Amino acid sequence: MIEDNIVSQLTTYGLSEEEARVYVDLAKIGSSKASTIASRLRYDRVKTYRILNKLRDKNIVESSLSKPIRYTAAPLERTIETLVQGVKDTLRNMEGGKEALFADWTKMPTVSGRAEGPRFKIHQGRVRIYSELVRMLNGAKREVLFVTTRNDLLRMFHADVYDAVVKVNSAGVEVRVLTEIDKLGIEAATEYSRIARVRHKDMPGLARFFIVDDSEILISAVSEDSMRLDEASDVSLWTDASDFVRVIKVFFEETWETSVDADARIRSLTTGMPVEELRVVSQGEDYTTILSRMLASAKTEIILIVNIPSPGIFPENLWQLLPGLAMRTVKVKILTTVTPDSLETVKHLMGFAEVRHARSLLGLQIMLADRREVLLSSSSSVETPGVNIWSDIKAHVGLMVQLVEQLWTGGSPIDPLVKKLEGVAELKKVIPILQEELSASGWGMEAPGLIQGISSVQHTFDIVARSLKNPGEIIAADFNFERKPIDQLQIVSLHTKNFDAKLSRLFLLALAVPTGEGVELLKNYGIELVTGSSVEDVARKFLTIVQQWQRPSSADLFTEAEQ
């Protein structure tokens, strides 16, 4: 469920699952009493009061002064900012209080034996810190995350750390490194890029941390960043406290998303050109993060060329973000192939987006944001892996803009097709009734049906009925589902088919009457018109005409049923 996904995401910002559920439920129903929330979530009332008061203390829930007290959830954007700021404040307080912590720690009596719960260790001196980092790397199974300085990367070449990174990378462990790359750090960044994913981010201070497998972290502030390996003033804190590791991991992921690929940064430093990049995005968390950011940062326009109802470029939960773009006056344009399977989804999208129909897509799905960044996907569905490429390189984006504009112009208006598909859907409902009624009257019916003409060409009609008593008597009909004057081309096309098929009677079933010229064409071609207020109404009138007919008549071939 979408609510469970939201609750899960909120817990990554430091809320417990119960706190997240109370906040989400309160946001859904608006200002409420604690008893109402307790009843809806089946929580104990006292516990619910305690949770609401905790959320209020965190400034993400507000309470009234009235009796009984009513609680109101803060807007999500403000809530996220508040929780993230809380994490940042925690880090700042940790840095400010570490000296006192170290002093108290050394005075604390210890008891030998295995510690229970989270463990904490202090390491002082670069030699000991790097030794601990090598131990962590040697035990890595899945993922290693670095946030560190340029000089720290250089020092690691001489402290066995780099060799340990090479080893875990060759074992299939993903290594990601965030650092500040300047001209002096190009060589180090290039070297680490051979064994890790490296990205650039301006670092305001000299903080560094290393996370292994979401299970342990080594964190410190670098007071002296010289190249000396024997520097004794460096102090690091190691812990396996899962909550703490999770909070720092959230900070890492947010920083990683706003960082710049190392190759793009190096290219910018060496050429003096602005940073632009093109990168392959893995299906999954990285992909969803980029999609969310593109939608959140869009200012003027989002253009989607996408398959519906199984859009590989768009996980299902992100479709819900599109209506919010319209509320922000961001124009949403969607080019897709409209089919009976996608009809209901397309009708929903038409409520807030401009939608056009393409007879076929390229096998490549595209999202273009503000004509400044583009995401391409070759995935046919979210479950089917494909190649996903994101870029903000102006030349590349410019080429994609031209392609998208060409495809958009080549698309057709959606309204006529939607009307037709709605009619087809209604027709599918009445076809079994028609077949049953006509069978009882001595007719066999196919929908659609094929008739071979005297030229041996097969002609398709929406309905073909053959007399069971006299197989030579054949009736056919085509539908026009549009509620506007009938196109004369359809009448001519219908006559052309009949000229070869030599039908006993031919009908045009329509929801609208033709213009004067159309009426004359129908009469001249001997095509009988049946109209009505709905597909079912027209089908019923057609059925009555067929049931009442015994043999072909040369008189009164033109029949118009009143609406």
Side-chain angles (χ1 to χ4, degrees):
M1 290 178 59
I2 186 64
E3 290 183 26
D4 291 334
N5 291 338
I6 294 173
V7 167
S8 177
Q9 292 179 63
L10 285 174
T11 59
T12 65
Y13 288 86
L15 295 181
S16 68
E17 181 178 349
E18 291 178 339
E19 290 172 339
R21 291 199 179 278
V22 168
Y23 173 82
V24 170
D25 198 63
L26 189 59
K28 279 179 58 179
I29 64 176
S31 179
S32 304
K33 298 181 292 185
S35 58
T36 302
I37 298 294
S39 176
R40 286 172 56 84
L41 296 179
R42 298 181 181 178
Y43 285 176
D44 176 78
R45 187 176 297 186
V46 174
K47 178 168 121 178
T48 304
Y49 270 109
R50 185 169 62 251
I51 294 173
L52 284 166
N53 288 333
K54 284 184 178 179
L55 296 177
R56 182 184 61 190
D57 293 340
K58 294 179 179 180
N59 293 321
I60 61 174
V61 163
E62 299 172 353
S63 60
S64 69
L65 298 176
S66 59
K67 298 292 184 178
I69 298 174
R70 300 184 71 85
Y71 296 86
T72 305
L76 180 61
E77 184 176 0
R78 196 181 89 192
T79 294
I80 296 301
E81 290 177 355
T82 300
L83 293 175
V84 171
Q85 186 59 48
V87 173
K88 292 178 179 178
D89 291 342
T90 299
L91 289 174
R92 189 161 46 250
N93 291 337
M94 289 174 57
E95 291 296 334
K98 71 176 184 180
E99 295 300 334
L101 173 61
F102 296 157
D104 292 340
W105 188 272
T106 58
K107 299 175 183 177
M108 181 180 68
T110 58
V111 178
S112 61
R114 182 176 177 83
E116 296 182 359
R119 295 171 295 164
F120 297 86
K121 291 189 291 185
I122 300 297
H123 297 281
Q124 185 162 3
R126 282 181 186 161
V127 173
R128 290 188 58 186
I129 291 171
Y130 288 144
S131 176
E132 176 66 7
L133 182 53
V134 168
R135 181 201 64 76
M136 293 169 62
L137 288 168
N138 288 339
K141 304 297 184 197
R142 182 175 52 84
E143 181 183 59
V144 173
L145 309 178
F146 280 20
V147 173
T148 192
T149 66
R150 174 199 67 206
N151 283 357
D152 205 29
L153 291 178
L154 292 171
R155 287 192 296 266
M156 290 178 189
F157 280 117
H158 310 288
D160 297 330
V161 177
Y162 180 82
D163 291 339
V165 175
V166 172
K167 181 179 177 181
V168 298
N169 174 68
S170 63
V173 176
E174 181 184 30
V175 183
R176 288 190 282 165
V177 177
L178 262 177
T179 189
E180 186 169 357
I181 304 174
D182 54 19
K183 290 186 177 181
L184 295 177
I186 289 177
E187 183 178 351
T190 301
E191 190 64 33
Y192 274 88
S193 293
R194 304 179 196 278
I195 56 171
R197 296 170 60 190
V198 181
R199 296 183 70 82
H200 160 79
K201 184 70 175 179
D202 291 333
M203 300 293 184
L206 296 178
R208 62 180 178 181
F209 60 80
F210 311 92
I211 300 176
V212 171
D213 292 339
D214 294 341
S215 62
E216 56 181 331
I217 184 172
L218 186 67
I219 185 169
S220 68
V222 181
S223 58
E224 202 277 334
D225 202 29
S226 71
M227 292 301 297
R228 291 179 54 184
L229 291 177
D230 60 351
E231 177 59 49
S233 63
D234 274 8
V235 179
S236 288
L237 170 67
W238 173 93
T239 180
D240 61 358
S242 58
D243 288 344
F244 181 72
V245 174
R246 185 171 62 249
V247 169
I248 304 302
K249 172 76 177 294
V250 169
F251 171 75
F252 177 90
E253 295 295 355
E254 289 180 348
T255 307
W256 181 267
E257 176 54 31
T258 58
S259 61
V260 175
D261 180 75
D263 289 342
R265 171 63 173 176
I266 292 170
R267 188 165 55 249
S268 175
L269 289 172
T270 54
T271 65
M273 300 295 290
V275 174
E276 295 177 337
E277 60 178 318
L278 182 149
R279 67 176 185 262
V280 176
V281 181
S282 60
Q283 198 84 359
E285 196 170 318
D286 288 350
Y287 184 78
T288 302
T289 300
I290 286 182
L291 273 173
S292 301
R293 183 196 56 72
M294 290 177 69
L295 291 174
S297 62
K299 299 292 189 297
T300 59
E301 182 182 62
I302 288 288
I303 303 178
L304 283 167
I305 298 179
V306 63
N307 290 321
I308 298 173
S310 57
I313 198 170
F314 241 56
E316 184 176 352
N317 59 329
L318 288 182
W319 279 103
Q320 301 174 21
L321 299 178
L322 291 179
L325 295 176
M327 296 176 63
R328 288 166 31 208
T329 68
V330 176
K331 190 173 185 179
V332 180
K333 299 167 71 174
I334 301 173
L335 180 67
T336 188
T337 300
V338 185
T339 65
D341 291 337
S342 66
L343 180 60
E344 292 305 315
T345 301
V346 168
K347 288 165 64 176
H348 170 68
L349 296 174
M350 291 170 65
F352 56 84
E354 182 181 355
V355 186
R356 288 179 72 84
H357 167 71
R359 289 190 176 182
S360 64
L361 298 178
L362 301 173
L364 185 69
Q365 301 185 82
I366 304 171
M367 185 167 84
L368 189 63
D370 292 341
R371 306 190 176 213
R372 60 177 172 77
E373 57 180 328
V374 65
L375 179 64
L376 309 179
S377 175
S378 64
S379 302
S380 59
S381 69
V382 178
E383 293 78 18
T384 305
V387 177
N388 310 301
I389 300 175
W390 172 90
S391 179
D392 64 350
I393 298 175
K394 287 184 179 180
H396 176 70
V397 174
L399 181 64
M400 297 311 303
V401 167
Q402 293 180 34
L403 174 62
V404 167
E405 287 180 341
Q406 183 178 1
L407 293 172
W408 182 262
T409 303
S412 57
I414 208 80
D415 289 336
L417 184 56
V418 168
K419 297 295 183 186
K420 180 178 180 179
L421 290 176
E422 288 177 334
V424 170
E426 290 185 57
L427 182 60
K428 284 184 177 179
K429 295 177 182 178
V430 301
I431 285 298
I433 300 173
L434 279 176
Q435 287 175 323
E436 183 178 349
E437 295 284 347
L438 286 175
S439 177
S441 301
W443 294 86
M445 190 192 103
E446 300 173 351
L450 290 175
I451 297 176
Q452 182 170 310
I454 59 176
S455 67
S456 298
V457 173
Q458 296 274 3
H459 300 286
T460 302
F461 295 88
D462 291 335
I463 295 174
V464 172
R466 293 177 171 85
S467 173
L468 300 178
K469 294 181 179 179
N470 183 5
E473 292 181 356
I474 304 176
I475 296 172
D478 272 356
F479 258 97
N480 184 302
F481 299 105
E482 298 185 27
R483 296 182 182 274
K484 65 180 183 179
I486 298 170
D487 187 350
Q488 294 182 31
L489 287 177
Q490 183 181 14
I491 299 174
V492 174
S493 174
L494 198 55
H495 168 66
T496 302
K497 291 193 293 184
N498 188 34
F499 187 80
D500 188 41
K502 303 301 182 185
L503 299 165
S504 302
R505 296 178 78 174
L506 177 60
F507 292 85
L508 177 58
L509 312 181
L511 300 178
V513 295
T515 60
E517 292 181 356
V519 171
E520 289 301 317
L521 276 177
L522 289 170
K523 288 181 178 179
N524 292 336
Y525 293 152
I527 300 172
E528 304 179 54
L529 176 68
V530 180
T531 64
S533 59
S534 67
V535 172
E536 183 178 359
D537 184 30
V538 173
R540 287 289 183 187
K541 291 178 179 179
F542 170 71
L543 175 63
T544 301
I545 293 171
V546 177
Q547 288 174 328
Q548 292 175 350
W549 182 61
Q550 298 300 321
R551 62 183 182 278
S553 173
S554 59
D556 195 24
L557 285 178
F558 184 78
T559 303
E560 179 175 350
E562 294 180 359
Q563 294 189 24

